[in-house]
């Protein structure tokens, strides 16, 4: 069968999966590499044509980024869970004197990195913790310098926008100055935590004391302008409605048009265990359709290359399935991850190895590729949406 015939057959099967003419119109736009509107995004999120949306997202994934699925060998460092805030959606934080509180010195962090570097070939260090004044810039200078002494090629992906805002205020300096110093000590990129939902009325219910959506996005823009790529998350499945998910995706897409600095979009399903919001669960809306949220993220975010599924949030089998719904990144081996563990993540009892990750990817006919410090697209670089940069 020629490639052209295959493509025509795929398009035909997508169109055959729905009788809804408005969905046919959306599909045509995707085939023509055109940007979807927020109204079209909301229609995709709420329509009843599951199979159609799945096929369309899988088409967009293949057309935009090919069949490679990325993963990394990552060690999580959570310096402390002590935090000055008490966000209702958070299962992680502790206060002084609590039994579950911990604090790790830079020496202890170094020992942990050394152990996993040698035993597990860890190549990426993901640092994220609470807002705590003992974790100041001197602390991070010491920690990063120690990590880089083990191997200068170890990639440090560290701290959320919320933590950078905290550090700037703590030292009475600007956020760009914080980035400048952290870069000189080895910072390579930012993870995407703390975005929650970028709509104030919802964000206030999840984390009323955190920086606003605008402040959060401003700090990502500053990072990108400082040459630091970042990821960005979206916490869903709590009190949001479809229009809030679409507003979040639209804001990410708009900032990406300006900076191009987002490497990966990471939808995170909210877990209700161990947090105040979960205790009020009678007030929560039914859980969003996780697969649909991934599919629509792929279709709306025509300018963000990678869509990551965290297997430890939802279990390895479901994560593998979501690779058919637009995702192209199976996250990481996630050694010593604790935020999801404390919130009752489904996959936390699984010991995930690099071999198991490769196997999960191959089982669905895709090609695994381990990344060490950022993505490497050389072999298969493709154009993203033709209308994505205005
Ligand atoms: S979400 Fe972050 S800032 Fe909020 S309480 Fe938890 S650790 Fe602290």
């Amino acid at each position: 069968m020629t490639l052209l015939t295959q493509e025509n057959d795929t398009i035909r099967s997508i169109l055959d999966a729905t009788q809804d003419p408005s969905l046919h119109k959306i599909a045509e736009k995707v085939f023509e590499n055109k940007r979807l509107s927020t109204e079209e995004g909301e229609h995709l999120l709420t329509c009843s044509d599951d199979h159609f949306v799945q096929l369309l997202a899988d088409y967009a994934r293949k057309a935009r980024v090919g069949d490679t699925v990325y993963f990394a060998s990552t060690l999580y460092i959570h310096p402390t869970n002590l935090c000055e805030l008490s966000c209702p959606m958070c299962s992680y934080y502790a206060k002084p004197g609590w039994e579950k509180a911990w604090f790790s010195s830079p020496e202890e962090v170094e020992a942990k990195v050394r152990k996993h570097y040698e035993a597990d070939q860890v190549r990426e260090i993901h640092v994220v913790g609470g807002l705590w004044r003992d974790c100041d810039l001197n602390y991070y200078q010491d920690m990063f310098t120690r990590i880089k002494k083990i191997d200068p090629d170890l990639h440090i992906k560290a701290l959320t926008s919320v933590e950078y805002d905290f550090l700037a205020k703590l030292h009475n300096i600007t956020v760009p100055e914080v980035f400048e110093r952290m870069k000189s000590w080895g910072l390579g990129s930012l993870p995407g935590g703390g975005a929650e939902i970028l709509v104030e009325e919802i964000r206030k219910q999840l984390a009323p004391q955190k920086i606003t959506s605008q402040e959060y996005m401003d700090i990502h823009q500053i990072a990108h302008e400082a040459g630091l790529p970042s990821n960005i998350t979206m916490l869903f499945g709590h009190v949001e409605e479809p229009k809030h998910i679409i507003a979040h995706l639209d804001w990410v897409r708009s900032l990406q048009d300006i900076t191009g600095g987002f490497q990966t979009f990471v939808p995170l399903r909210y877990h209700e265990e161990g947090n105040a919001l979960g205790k009020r669960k009678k007030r929560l809306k039914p859980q969003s359709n996780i697969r649909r949220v991934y599919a629509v993220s792929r279709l709306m975010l025509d300018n963000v290359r990678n869509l990551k599924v965290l297997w430890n949030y939802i279990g390895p089998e479901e994560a593998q399935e979501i690779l058919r719904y637009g995702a192209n990144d199976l996250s990481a081996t996630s050694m010593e991850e604790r935020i999801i563990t404390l919130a009752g993540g489904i996959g936390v009892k699984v010991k995930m190895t690099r071999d198991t990750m490769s196997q999960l990817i191959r089982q669905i006919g895709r090609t695994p590729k381990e990344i060490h410090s950022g993505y490497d697209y050389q072999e298969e670089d493709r154009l993203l949406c033709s209308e994505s940069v205005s």
Side-chain angles (χ1 to χ4, degrees), residues 83 85-87 89-90 92-93 129-131 162 196 210:
C83 187
L85 307 191
S86 314
C87 301
M89 37 54 74
C90 178
Y92 173 84
Y93 74 84
L131 308 181
V162 184
E196 323 312 356
K210 269 191 185 176

Side-chain angles (χ1 to χ4, degrees), residues 291 309-324 330-332 345-353 356-357 359-361 363-364:
R291 296 177 184 181
V309 52
L310 269 66
W311 59 268
N312 39 352
Y313 264 73
I314 53 175
E317 292 80 19
E318 180 61 12
Q320 186 188 40
E321 186 59 23
I322 282 175
L323 292 174
R324 302 183 206 271
L330 194 53
S331 65
I346 290 173
V348 293
K349 292 188 181 72
V350 178
K351 163 91 174 136
M352 184 63 82
T353 64
T356 315
M357 296 200 92
Q359 210 179 340
L360 284 168
I361 295 162
Q363 275 168 1
I364 59 161

Side-chain angles (χ1 to χ4, degrees), residues 322-382:
I322 282 175
L323 292 174
R324 302 183 206 271
Y325 284 74
N328 71 323
D329 186 323
L330 194 53
S331 65
T333 47
S334 301
M335 274 158 271
E336 310 246 356
E337 200 289 328
R338 294 181 85 170
I339 296 176
I340 305 167
T341 310
L342 287 166
I346 290 173
V348 293
K349 292 188 181 72
V350 178
K351 163 91 174 136
M352 184 63 82
T353 64
R354 297 148 83 216
D355 285 348
T356 315
M357 296 200 92
S358 294
Q359 210 179 340
L360 284 168
I361 295 162
R362 284 209 179 88
Q363 275 168 1
I364 59 161
R366 308 264 283 277
T367 310
K369 184 164 186 176
E370 185 174 353
I371 46 175
H372 298 305
S373 54
Y375 297 87
D376 171 10
Y377 308 126
Q378 291 152 15
E379 291 164 23
E380 48 166 60
D381 220 356
R382 284 162 206 248

Side-chain angles (χ1 to χ4, degrees), residues 262-278:
F262 289 125
Q263 287 192 312
T264 309
F265 185 66
V266 194
L268 303 173
R269 200 202 80 181
Y270 164 70
H271 282 271
E272 60 191 21
E273 201 172 296
N275 59 68
L277 188 67

Side-chain angles (χ1 to χ4, degrees), residues 80-88 90 92-96 98 102 129-136 162-163 165-167 169-171 207-210:
T80 185
N81 61 346
L82 289 164
C83 187
E84 291 191 0
L85 307 191
S86 314
C87 301
C90 178
Y92 173 84
Y93 74 84
K95 302 294 175 188
W98 289 17
W102 75 78
L131 308 181
W132 199 243
R133 48 191 56 238
D134 291 338
C135 294
D136 62 5
V162 184
E163 291 166 283
D165 173 77
F166 176 79
L167 285 171
K169 288 174 181 153
L170 185 64
H171 290 270
Q209 302 160 299
K210 269 191 185 176

